[in-house]
Amino acid sequence: MADGAEIPLAVRAANDGQTNRERHEKQYQALVELIEPGNIPYIQLGESIEVHLAEVDDADYELTDVILLPDGSYKYKMPDNGSQTVVISGGSGSFELSINPAAFLSSSTSDYEPGATLRGFRLSGMGGGELQDIYFVLRTDAGSVGPSL
């Protein structure tokens, strides 16, 4: 949830036999297919995203994010943006939406327009007694590279 808006997500068991890259990419693609293109939530950089997990009281989840193409597939073959820890306490936690440096790899000026960056996020941790991955996608901005010329 960000700014009061619900963010569509998918929850999957972490071990399903596929390679991590294949599994993650398929989940992002499935989410993008389910959401009407104009309905992928837009969140400004710096906003706080709240995580509410009913079946989890206290846990540490690992958050990773990648840049996606409009169909939900990976835009770049590079690894994700590293990870950060999201602490869930009493079923809730939050993180600040920061810049993903890979957003600056594009040479297309349209990729730097507001809301043009599609990012896939994955929270990994113990939920309901098993290791699970929680996926969601957002539209945001690439970020500021300095004053306009």
Side-chain angles (χ1 to χ4, degrees), residues 76-90:
Y76 303 110
K77 292 186 180 191
M78 63 188 296
D80 56 46
N81 187 30
S83 64
Q84 72 182 72
T85 300
V86 176
V87 177
I88 305 297
S89 179

Side-chain angles (χ1 to χ4, degrees), residues 14-102:
N15 299 318
D16 63 3
Q18 295 178 313
T19 68
N20 285 340
R21 184 172 174 85
E22 289 172 341
R23 180 184 44 199
H24 302 324
E25 187 171 41
K26 284 183 181 184
Q27 292 305 314
Y28 295 130
Q29 289 173 322
L31 266 173
V32 169
E33 281 181 21
L34 291 174
I35 305 169
E36 295 291 323
N39 290 337
I40 294 175
Y42 168 75
I43 309 296
Q44 289 184 335
L45 293 172
E47 292 290 319
S48 180
I49 297 177
E50 297 176 27
V51 178
H52 300 282
L53 303 175
E55 71 280 354
V56 177
D57 284 328
D58 298 320
D60 290 349
Y61 273 70
E62 181 180 291
L63 176 73
T64 55
D65 81 284
V66 294
I67 304 295
L68 301 174
L69 291 169
D71 69 354
S73 61
Y74 290 130
K75 186 166 188 169
Y76 303 110
K77 292 186 180 191
M78 63 188 296
D80 56 46
N81 187 30
S83 64
Q84 72 182 72
T85 300
V86 176
V87 177
I88 305 297
S89 179
S92 298
S94 67
F95 67 94
E96 183 179 302
L97 183 60
S98 59
I99 291 172
N100 181 322

